[in-house]
Structures are given as C-alpha cells and as structure tokens.
Amino acid sequence: MTSAETTADLSTSTALAVELQGITKRFPGVVANKDIVLSVRRGTIHAIVGENGAGKSTLMKILYGVQAPDEGTISINGEPVVLKSPTEAIKAGIGMVFQHFMLADNLTVLENVALGAEKLYGIGDAARARIRQISRDYGLRVEPDDLVADLGVGDRQRIEILKVLYRGAKILILDEPTAVLVPQEVNELFDHLRELKSEGLTVIFISHKLDEVLSVADEITVIRRGTTVAAVDPKQVTARQLAELMVGSELPSPQTEESTVTDRLMLELQGVELGTTGQAKVLDGIDLKIHAGEILGIAGVEGNGQAELVELIMGMRRPSAGKVLLEGDDITAAGVRDIREAGVGYIPEDRHRHGLLLEAPLWENMILGHQTQAPNIKGPLIDAKAAKADTQRVVDEFDVRTPSILVTAGSLSGGNQQKLIIGREMSHAPRVLVAAHPTRGVDVGAQAAIWDLIKDARRNGMAVLLISADLEELVGLSDTIRVILRGRLSGEFDPDVVTREQLGAAMTGADSAEGTHNEA
Amino acid sequence: MKLDLRRIGLAVAAPVLAIGVALILATLILLVAGDPVVAVWQVLFKAPLPRQVVAIVNEATVLYLSAVAVAIGFKMNLFNIGVDGQYRVASFAAAVFAGANFLPGWLNIAVAIVISMITGALWALIAGALKVGRGVSEVISTIMLNYIATYLVAFFLKMAAVKVEGSNATSTAVLAEDSRVPGISVNWLLATNNKIYGLIFLAIAVGFIYWFVLNKTRFGFDLRATGQSETAAVASGINVKKMVLASMVISGAAAGLVGMPLLFGQDYAYGDTVQAGLGFAGISVALLGRNHPAGMAIAALLWGYLSQISNGLQISAGVSDKLVLIIQGIIVLSVVIAYEVVRRAGLRLEQRRVASELAAQASTKTEEVAV
C-alpha cells in the first residue's frame, strides 16, 4: 500500500484525504452510483477510471457538493462531512477543475481568478501577489495580467488549477483533464500534477485513457456500471487488465447463433469524412458494409467518433466527404425523416435526449420518429386510437413493465424505456437498425431481453449496426467487429477468435500494430 | 378515471395557489401603503354590474385571441413577445383596407380579416427568419419589432389619416355601416343595452382550431414534440427550422386577429387612441391559462374582470386603480412558480405511483421482477 514515489513523509502519505463509504445515488428509473467505496490517500494522485456512463461524473458531483448522495458517508481528512453545495466543498478544501474551462475570455488572468473569490485577497495587488506566489510555488507559470483570450489551452488549464488553489483547495479533482490537450501538453500537465503532489496536495484524476492513467497515478479505482469494482496498483496492472476491469467480464454472456449473414448489401459507407478543414477530422475515411442478417459491432472508447457516425447515418449530420448508401440508394443528403421512412430504425445512445419525450404518455412516444407512418396517422391527423392499440401491443409483446400506456415515459425504469424504444423501432419493420449502446443503464434482466430482441432482428434479415462499449455484448452478438479509434475504423475482427486483449489494445491504441495485424 | 381526477386536481391547484398568494401579497402591499384593506377588497369582490359583465366578456374576447397567439409560440418553446407589435401592424393594414370600401359589406370584412392575418404573419416571419437564419433570439427581435411597429404605424397613420371636422384625433377612414360586425344584444339576460362583440364567435372558433390542430394533427404533434425536447424532435425527423418558421407565422396570423373585434365591433377605424398593450396582457393570460384552450378562456375572463372592476377603486376606496396591475403582476409571477412546483410534484408522484403499482403487480404474481 505504500507508494515509493511520494516524497512526503510516511505519516501523511498514509492518512486518508478522502474516504467514501457506501455512496448510493438514485435517479428516477436509474441507479447512477451504488455502494461506491473510495479511499484516497493524502499526497497522492488517485485515478478514477471507467467508461462514460459508468457513474464517474455523478460521483464527482457528489464529492463536489453538486448532488447529495441518497446513502453513504463522505469523510475529508478523517472528518465525516455533509457537502450540500460546491461552496461547502470548497470550504472543506475540495477544488474542481472542469473539463470545459470556465473562464471569461475578455478578462485578465487576475480578474478570472479573483472573480467570485474577492473576499480572499481583494482584486488588486494582494491578489496579484498571491497569484504570483502560487504560480511560483507550483511552477505553474501563470502571469496575472495576461488577457485570457491570448492564451492557449494548456495555459487556460493551468489557470483553472490555479483558481482552485487560490481558493485554498488541498484536494483537486480533475475531470478528464487531458481530453483537450495535445501530447506535449499532457506531459507538461503530468509534471504539474507531480509537483502538486510533492507539495502535499491530493489529486483525483478522472479519465478513461488507460496509458495516461498508468503513467501518472499512484493508485487507481475502477468504476463499472455505477459501482467501484477494484482498487489497483498501477505498477501491478497492464493496460489490458485495466480495460478488462473497465468493461467487465462477469455479466451474462450473449451467445452467438449460427450465421444468418446474406450477400444482400443493406448499408454501405464509402470514404465518409466529417470535419472542418484545419482541424483533426472527427471521422476519417470510414468504409463499412453491412449485409442483411448481419450484425456489425463497433467497439471503441467513447468519444472516438461513434456518436458522430450514428448521427451521420441517421441524417442528423452531413459528411464533409463520402457517401452513405441504403441498399444502393444514396441517402447522403437525405433528411432524418426520409431516412427513417426508408426503413432505418434508430436506438439512440441517449434515450432521454434523443429517443423519448419524457413528459408525454407512452402512446405519444410510440408515434415519435414515425409521425408519418401507419398506424399512427390518418391523412394529416393523428390516429390516437390506432396508436394506442399499437402501443398496447408493443407493451405486451416486448414486456414493457408499465401499469398503463397513459403514464409518462419518464416514469418508467431505464430498461423498460429501452424496451419501448426497441419495440417501437421494430414495429415499423426496418431494413437497417442502428443501435447505439442499447443496454446502457439498463438492469441485467432487461439487458438479456434486449440482446434477444437484437438477435431476432438479425434472424429476420435486418442489417444491424451495433455500437457498444461492452466487449462482452459485442463479441456475443456481432458477426463482425471493428474498432473505432480517433475517427478511424480498424480492420475486421472475427468475434469467434478475437481475444478481449486484442480488442482492448486496438481500442486504447496501446498496441495498434497488433490490432491491424489481426484482421480476419 | 382516478388518474384523470388527479390530473385535474393538479392542473387546478397551481392557478388557485397563485391567485391565493397574489391576494395575500396584495393585502400586505395595501397594509404597507396604509390603504383601506377592507374597502379595497369590497370593491374588488363586488359582483360586477350588468354593463360591466358585457365589458368583461368583450375584453376577454380580445385577450383570448392574444393569448392563443402567444400560446402557439409557447407550445414550441418560442417566446413571441411580439404579439403586441404584430396585432397593431395587422389592425392598421386591415383598417386601411376596410376603410377604403373596395368591397361590399361582409366580403369587405372577411377580406380585411385575412389581410390582417397575413400582415401579422409577415411581421412575425421577420423574427422567425432572423432566428432560423441568423440565430437571433426571438425574444430580442420581437421586442425590437414592437418598437418598430409603433413608429411605423404612427408614420403611415399620419399619411393615411382622414381629417375629421372638430376633432384632433388621427385615424383611418371610418368603416361604412355595412362593413361593421353587429354586436350581440343581451338585454334579455342582463339589464343593459351594451352589446357583446359579434366577433366573439371568431375567438371561440380560434380556440377550437387551436385545440384541434395541436392535439389531433400531425403538425400539432410535431410542434408539441419540438417544444418538449428539441433533441428528440430532431432525432425523430422533425425539421426544427421549418417548425420555427411555421409556428412564428401561425402565431403572427393569430395575433392579426386580436384587433379585429375592436375594429369591426367598437372603434370602426384605426386611430392613435387604439388600445395598446394587448399583446403583453396575452402573455399573462397564456401563462395563467397554461396554454390550454379552456384555461386561457377562464384566465381571459379573470383578467377582464380585474381590469373592469378596478375602475371603481379610485372612487369607492380612494385607492389607485393601478393596484390591479400589481395584483395581476403578482398572479403571473406566482403562477409561473406554482406551475413549475406542481409540474415537478406531478412527475415525482407519477414515478412513485408507477413503481408502486408495478411492485404490487409483481407481488401478486409472486414473480421475480428485474426492475
């Protein structure tokens, strides 16, 4: 348990700066955090890793006082505390550096830092001196009179760090701090973090980039599906092992059935690009083909272009180059409604934002996305009677657990919302189904049911694009797996022979050479 | 059935709560100002005289049309603050056309009303196009357009004005006798010879069309879906930009109707004495009536009642009739807060109810439930 790298003496390095016990946070229909256990020793860099949606951000909001936990205790430096607001968290010595900087461009560094903390050192020379002193103490190289608008991303991040130090933080939370940085800046940031650590401060570092976590953290806690699953020593794990912990392996495994792949090409993307000139492309040179009866799985760490790929196929974005073909028809320039009418079903990644009207009754949600299709309409009118009958059928057939089709969609649990969406999309007999993270945030029972539904779709000759972060799901369901990394697709992996280590390596780019050599 | 009762209960709870809070706060204001509290409430709660009843209904007719115009935007999360400017530009255009007497009688009225709607729609389209094309907030642009409308109408009114002997009022040509909509006499019911606007039927028809289009048509579904969640609307294939333009145009067309009962039933011309501020009152009525066709009718009547009854305040209680503006202001503020509180409570209530009903189902089936 001792860390060789800490320069602080042993007594302080073993004392706990932050201790969470049994933290549980429920949102209607979803448990965001469940029995979280976290021990962060003072004077260390502690990384928290997990997939997006695993519950990291909820946990951080709890620690920063933005949300109150339903159960569990928080202790700071051994003292139990109740954090009702960020102000109280700041008082307890916790500072948060957000992923998206909160700086006013047209103000100077001094003004930005002093803003909201005028009581501490005023807004004049005392504040300026304090900023210079902090900058010197931690080697942050921040000049108080610079205009923020003139500064680069790395500088701005250092200002954000200085901002929380200025407010007296002894425990710093950094949310995905490397997401916005180029590699050289990342190394620089890590030097600063080590500097902070050597001054006795505690850093909590949230990330899903495993190689970075391994290089800078003293300890790592892994979160999966809302709960802490392991606390590991970075010196004793590899990136692959960490990736396995992140995506999990003890879940019920979906079983692949006999291949139903046909040679009828349903969906094809040809050289699709998305991006503006001068910046890194979000999607680059995407070529993919899905045949009737085939499930193509796309693996990848979140934020590598999956969401954009889905929105592009659905017509919500236009590619800057390339073509999208639906059974030979060019749908590159078609609108969302045309694409849906042409037979593309859509299970969105974020069902609350893109899949449902949470305050509308279930039967109106059945119409959503199919406003122009039977049985929902009679000419320009909504056929409420037929839509309600159809909703009742879906509720029965797809086992949506609800007391009535008149209740609002928001009152259902996540799994039942998802079953309603899948039932809705299947009801219109799509040729292609685009399923983004179909089992995210749903309970184990519903998960198995959803897998069965997707397998049924495949057996019925649908072409399915399955995007998931759950390797088990991808390996179990897909006929072909490809990995997306920084907007580019890897070669094809055969799910029957690929190992999760190979996929994990391709996903994190830790071993990209191996990934491409394993093309099936 | 049980669910419906609960819904109605929740729907009524908010406005009742808001009005209650407004009465209490108004009482406090009276106390602080040292005004006679009892006398004021006696005036405000006195049953209106027969002629006042007619005036209330007439005022409510106009307010209702304005509220519907605002509510069309509200349903899509668009804040059309510009109903005020839209109805003035539109009324002026209609008055100029109808006053010129190109067409005979009823035809003249019908065409003038259509012209009014088109003018209102075009005026609102400016704000819609700015929002869609340039991302200008409709709140800002409609407020600015209200000012432009004021001066534009004043400018054109001066050009179009007809000089009347012995009067310095500026106004368009007075409508011919056969181009007026006769009022409805209610002397069989109330002891007054004052008449209710004949165009009250227009307001009722607009209310019905509003309800029908919103709840029964695909267009209405798209509009409500966009208002509830723009992201979900986009994913469902709704062209949000088109919807913004369409709803602004329809809202503006409805705004064009606001001035019609006044033009054809009371003033018979558009002059510088024409009633202003109806668009803003419409916002209050739409908020209080919760954008519901019947709710807005009740709210419009309440608004009409308060403003008519306030005329007696100065004489009977020695208190400025502006007190009613304070009460109206507090009602709107508290109603917005109360609706949000009740809405959240309703959602929580339903979530809990669904969970408990499912749990009950599960235990009777003695099955394992994975929820």
Side-chain angles (χ1 to χ4, degrees), chain B residues 89-131:
Chain B
V89 173
S91 298
F92 173 73
V96 169
F97 176 84
N101 255 329
F102 294 127
L103 297 166
W106 283 99
L107 195 59
N108 196 23
I109 296 170
V111 173
I113 289 177
V114 171
I115 285 178
S116 187
M117 289 174 76
I118 292 172
T119 313
L122 288 177
W123 197 250
L125 179 64
I126 300 172
L130 281 172
K131 185 180 176 72

Side-chain angles (χ1 to χ4, degrees), chain B:
Chain B
M1 196 58 212
K2 204 177 157 195
L3 182 78
D4 285 347
L5 277 181
R6 192 196 308 259
R7 275 216 182 124
I8 292 165
L10 280 172
V12 174
V16 169
L17 201 76
I19 291 166
V21 169
L23 292 184
I24 293 166
L25 286 180
T27 305
L28 289 177
I29 290 168
L30 288 174
L31 285 174
V32 171
D35 285 327
V37 177
V38 180
V40 166
W41 291 129
Q42 269 173 353
V43 173
L44 287 184
F45 286 131
K46 209 172 63 181
L49 302 169
R51 63 169 174 78
Q52 284 179 313
V53 172
V54 171
I56 289 168
V57 171
N58 281 344
E59 186 161 351
T61 301
V62 176
L63 288 175
Y64 184 71
L65 286 168
S66 174
V68 170
V70 175
I72 293 166
F74 274 164
K75 276 287 179 185
M76 240 197 66
N77 262 344
L78 278 179
F79 289 80
N80 182 5
I81 314 291
V83 170
D84 214 63
Q86 287 148 21
Y87 92 79
R88 280 182 284 137
V89 173
S91 298
F92 173 73
V96 169
F97 176 84
N101 255 329
F102 294 127
L103 297 166
W106 283 99
L107 195 59
N108 196 23
I109 296 170
V111 173
I113 289 177
V114 171
I115 285 178
S116 187
M117 289 174 76
I118 292 172
T119 313
L122 288 177
W123 197 250
L125 179 64
I126 300 172
L130 281 172
K131 185 180 176 72
V132 169
R134 284 279 169 269
V136 179
S137 161
E138 76 282 3
V139 177
I140 308 295
S141 58
T142 50
I143 289 174
M144 294 304 159
L145 283 166
N146 282 345
Y147 285 105
I148 297 174
T150 302
Y151 295 112
L152 204 65
V153 169
F155 175 73
F156 282 116
L157 183 58
K158 227 171 174 182
M159 286 168 50
V162 178
K163 194 77 193 144
V164 181
E165 250 348 276
S167 160
N168 354 332
T170 319
S171 112
T172 57
V174 176
L175 302 186
E177 285 286 345
D178 69 347
S179 288
R180 301 178 183 182
V181 178
I184 302 158
S185 176
V186 285
N187 55 13
W188 49 275
L189 185 69
L190 297 163
T192 174
N193 283 324
N194 292 5
K195 290 178 178 172
I196 290 174
Y197 295 146
L199 286 181
I200 189 173
F201 291 110
L202 180 70
I204 293 169
V206 165
F208 176 79
I209 293 168
Y210 169 79
W211 168 82
F212 184 83
V213 170
L214 217 51
N215 293 295
K216 300 290 168 189
T217 68
R218 210 176 79 199
F219 175 80
F221 183 91
D222 283 359
L223 193 137
R224 283 184 295 132
T226 312
Q228 284 182 41
S229 167
E230 198 178 311
T231 47
V234 169
S236 84
I238 295 170
N239 184 335
V240 171
K241 287 187 171 183
K242 258 188 208 163
M243 290 304 294
V244 168
L245 284 180
S247 52
M248 273 316 269
V249 164
I250 296 169
S251 179
L257 296 174
V258 172
M260 295 302 98
L262 296 170
L263 176 63
F264 291 106
Q266 180 180 303
D267 300 338
Y268 307 123
Y270 188 99
D272 50 10
T273 56
V274 87
Q275 207 175 339
L278 292 171
F280 296 111
I283 297 173
S284 305
V285 172
L287 281 172
L288 183 59
R290 223 176 174 184
N291 305 326
H292 188 279
M296 287 189 291
I298 295 167
L301 286 168
L302 176 70
W303 237 238
Y305 169 84
L306 283 174
S307 74
Q308 288 301 324
I309 212 85
S310 68
N311 295 337
L313 270 180
Q314 191 79 58
I315 306 152
S316 310
V319 173
S320 164
D321 57 1
K322 296 285 183 287
L323 175 70
V324 162
L325 294 181
I326 295 178
I327 296 178
Q328 288 179 336
I330 300 172
I331 290 179
V332 170
L333 275 183
S334 19
V335 92
V336 171
I337 297 165
Y339 279 151
E340 193 54 28
V341 169
V342 168
R343 188 185 70 91
R344 289 187 194 171
L347 286 178
R348 264 201 308 278
L349 220 69
E350 187 171 64
Q351 269 160 3
R352 222 172 298 149
R353 196 174 58 84
V354 166
S356 69
E357 277 184 35
L358 286 175
Q361 273 176 23
S363 64
T364 53
K365 283 187 201 159
T366 59
E367 267 181 12
E368 263 255 283
V369 177
V371 180

Side-chain angles (χ1 to χ4, degrees), chain A residues 153-403:
Chain A
V153 176
D155 299 305
R156 290 176 191 223
Q157 193 165 48
R158 289 200 301 277
I159 298 169
E160 286 283 3
I161 293 172
L162 191 138
K163 242 166 86 179
V164 300
L165 294 173
Y166 185 86
R167 284 158 175 75
K170 297 283 179 242
I171 301 161
L172 277 75
I173 307 171
L174 284 87
D175 186 10
E176 306 264 355
T178 61
V180 291
L181 303 179
V182 299
Q184 295 86 329
E185 287 174 323
V186 170
N187 291 334
E188 221 173 285
L189 171 71
F190 287 173
D191 288 341
H192 291 305
L193 295 187
R194 293 192 188 100
E195 180 75 29
L196 294 173
K197 181 176 77 170
S198 70
E199 298 290 329
L201 299 185
T202 309
V203 177
I204 300 176
F205 177 93
I206 302 166
S207 185
H208 57 227
K209 294 186 182 161
L210 303 181
D211 42 344
E212 293 176 2
V213 166
L214 288 171
S215 81
V216 74
D218 300 311
E219 269 167 29
I220 300 172
T221 297
V222 183
I223 293 192
R224 185 173 74 228
R225 285 186 177 261
T227 192
T228 40
V229 291
V232 294
D233 181 343
K235 283 190 259 340
Q236 289 166 16
V237 291
T238 63
R240 292 170 184 179
Q241 288 167 325
L242 213 47
E244 269 184 275
L245 283 170
M246 264 166 73
V247 291
S249 53
E250 91 290 29
L251 297 166
S253 163
Q255 292 300 315
T256 326
E257 295 166 6
E258 210 172 309
S259 172
T260 56
V261 181
T262 63
D263 55 3
R264 236 170 84 222
L265 184 59
M266 299 301 279
L267 183 73
E268 184 177 7
L269 270 67
Q270 296 175 343
V272 165
E273 280 180 17
L274 182 71
T276 41
T277 43
Q279 285 174 19
K281 292 195 179 76
V282 184
L283 293 173
D284 194 1
I286 301 276
D287 286 299
L288 66 78
K289 288 180 181 176
I290 315 177
H291 300 88
E294 179 183 8
I295 299 180
L296 173 67
I298 305 273
V301 173
E302 208 119 335
N304 276 294
Q306 294 97 319
E308 290 79 8
L309 178 64
V310 167
E311 288 177 7
L312 193 142
I313 294 172
M314 292 311 301
M316 291 151 76
R317 286 173 189 267
R318 297 265 170 272
S320 43
K323 269 188 188 174
V324 184
L325 302 174
L326 177 67
E327 229 182 329
D329 297 332
D330 191 340
I331 57 163
T332 317
V336 182
R337 182 158 283 168
D338 297 329
I339 290 173
R340 278 175 165 276
E341 283 174 359
V344 180
Y346 179 32
I347 301 170
E349 169 181 349
D350 185 340
R351 56 181 163 268
H352 288 182
R353 271 171 59 79
H354 292 118
L356 294 169
L357 301 173
L358 291 174
E359 292 185 32
L362 297 191
W363 71 269
E364 288 196 352
N365 275 287
M366 269 295 289
I367 299 174
L368 190 73
H370 306 276
Q371 290 101 312
T372 53
Q373 296 166 31
N376 300 328
I377 50 154
K378 246 189 307 191
L381 300 186
I382 293 282
D383 189 345
K385 209 174 144 199
K388 280 178 185 164
D390 200 41
T391 310
Q392 191 59 52
R393 178 187 61 78
V394 165
V395 163
D396 295 338
E397 265 179 38
F398 290 80
D399 190 30
V400 180
R401 308 233 165 113
T402 173

Side-chain angles (χ1 to χ4, degrees), chain A residues 3-10 12-13 43 194-195 197-200:
Chain A
S3 164
E5 282 191 17
T6 41
T7 52
D9 66 274
L10 201 71
T12 53
S13 72
R194 293 192 188 100
E195 180 75 29
K197 181 176 77 170
S198 70
E199 298 290 329

